[in-house]
Every structure is written in structure tokens, then in C-alpha cells.
Amino acid sequence: MDDNEGTGWQERRVREWLAGKLAARLGLAAEDTDGAGPGASCGAYGIGPDTSFEQCGLDAVGALALAVDAESACGVLLEPTVAWDHPTIGSLARHLAQETERSRAAHEAPAW
């Protein structure tokens, strides 16, 4: 597996996780999503990669909570404004996947 494939896989996982978090915040239960569970794709929630957080009705408090959750889930430090800097699920997922990969690579780099 090349690096791009690995990052793409990570990005898809993060995108699905974000869609699930937003669906929960919007009150979309599993029965509202044709039985979609935590591993469901973004489409199962009716939330696509180009869906903006604004379209989802995410306010400042919700965006900050999402940033805190993403920080914990990905193990990287994020700016509180990350949802405004990356205003769609796809762009935030790409950013989180890249930051996660950078963090992993930095921890694997030899300390000379």
C-alpha cells in the first residue's frame, strides 16, 4: 500500500466518523438512516463530503465540541477554529488525516 492509499483510507475513516458525529448532533437516529450504524458511510446519514458544517446547523459551540472530539479521536492538537478553516466534512477529514499522518511520522522519525 503506498502512502497516498494509506492517507486516503484514513481520510475515508475520518469522514465517516465526522458524518456520524454530525448525525448524532443533528439527532439522526439509526432508524432515520435505514439502520446505518457507527461504521456507515456519510451517504447513509444524508451528509456528503461537500456538506458544510453551516448547512448542518453547527454553531460555534458545536464546532468547538467537534474540534475537541476530533482532537481526542485523532490524537492531534487542533486549533479551535478548525471547523471554520476547513468548513466541509471532506476538507476537515483531509486535514485530520494529514495531521494524523504527520504526527505518526514525527513519532517514528529517529531522534538524532
Side-chain angles (χ1 to χ4, degrees):
M1 169 172 23
D2 64 34
D3 288 343
N4 289 335
E5 188 177 337
T7 302
W9 175 81
Q10 180 72 8
E11 184 179 328
R12 282 188 302 278
R13 268 186 62 196
V14 173
R15 195 170 50 232
E16 290 170 2
W17 178 85
L18 284 169
K21 281 290 186 184
L22 285 172
R25 184 163 278 288
L26 295 171
L28 296 176
E31 60 269 14
D32 296 331
T33 59
D34 297 321
S41 68
C42 294
Y45 296 111
I47 301 171
D50 295 329
T51 302
S52 73
F53 298 118
E54 183 179 9
Q55 286 173 302
C56 292
L58 202 65
D59 61 9
V61 173
L64 185 56
L66 183 65
V68 169
D69 288 346
E71 222 174 47
S72 291
C74 295
V76 296
L77 293 176
L78 299 172
E79 294 293 324
T81 59
V82 72
W84 282 275
D85 297 338
H86 304 279
T88 66
I89 290 173
S91 65
L92 182 55
R94 196 168 22 264
H95 175 71
L96 290 172
Q98 290 168 348
E99 289 301 308
T100 302
E101 182 59 27
R102 274 191 206 108
S103 178
R104 186 191 61 77
H107 284 79
E108 291 179 0
W112 310 87

